Amino acid sequence: MTAALGIMCKAPRPGLTKTRLAARLGPEKAARLSACFLEDVAAVVLAVPEALGRQGYGIYAPAGSEAELAAILPPAFRLLLQEGSDFGVILATAVRRLLTEQAHDCVMLINADSPTLPAALLTKTIVSLRRPGDRVVLGPAIDGGYTHIGLKADHPELFVGIPWSTDAVLARTLERAAGISLEAEVLPPWYDIDDAATFRLLLDEIAGIPPAFAADGIVGGQAPATRALLTQGRDA
């Protein structure tokens, strides 16, 4: 059994990635920060115990950016091009392809904007998915979305009619799960960085101040690439 852990990512290009932070950081540094986020989330994937059986993926866009992403992601990662323009279709298609074409026993799709995401949450997701019975496992984000979603069967209905990029994403996904009688497990929350408030959380965490919402025993990742850029001015 091998779990697919796919990071939903775009090539980090100035003016196209982390656009809300670009007003504060400038487009060039915002793009470098996006690359650091991706590098750190990939490191979190590799921190999941190898004994569980896991394969990292970059679920990427746009076509033609393979070389850029291969230079950031670990050599063991594979690349899978995003299909479609609607985000729900992109997610549903990635799940189906990883379960059927790549023959993984379960799939996790992970936000690329959570560089300190605890590996323990990804590990727990795999363990939960491998228990008997069908279910969806969700890692909630504090903004009302989710940092990752895990599935062991193809349920494209989960991704239909979701108001992406709003604070209703998690709630609506849980409603969709209930509507198809799919058990839903919700893990402790974490955060992704896409605005000034969550960027402040990141700066505090790097300075040694853990998020106030962090559950007991849940420790954020070290995010070495992000930490280097923000504290030492390292070019990514």
Side-chain angles (χ1 to χ4, degrees), residues 116-138:
T116 65
L117 183 65
L121 295 179
L122 303 189
T123 298
K124 182 171 177 56
T125 299
I126 296 174
V127 172
S128 296
L129 289 172
R130 287 181 174 156
R131 297 200 321 265
D134 196 12
R135 66 184 51 81
V136 58
V137 182
L138 291 150

Side-chain angles (χ1 to χ4, degrees), residues 30-85:
R32 295 199 302 273
L33 186 64
S34 180
C36 289
F37 284 2
L38 181 53
E39 183 178 339
D40 287 332
V41 175
V44 172
V45 168
L46 294 184
V48 172
E50 192 172 3
L52 283 176
R54 43 97 173 130
Q55 173 62 54
Y57 285 85
I59 314 296
Y60 74 99
S65 60
E66 294 82 4
E68 294 170 69
L69 292 165
I72 298 170
L73 294 169
F77 269 56
R78 301 172 186 169
L79 292 174
L80 186 69
L81 182 64
Q82 296 179 11
E83 294 185 17
S85 55

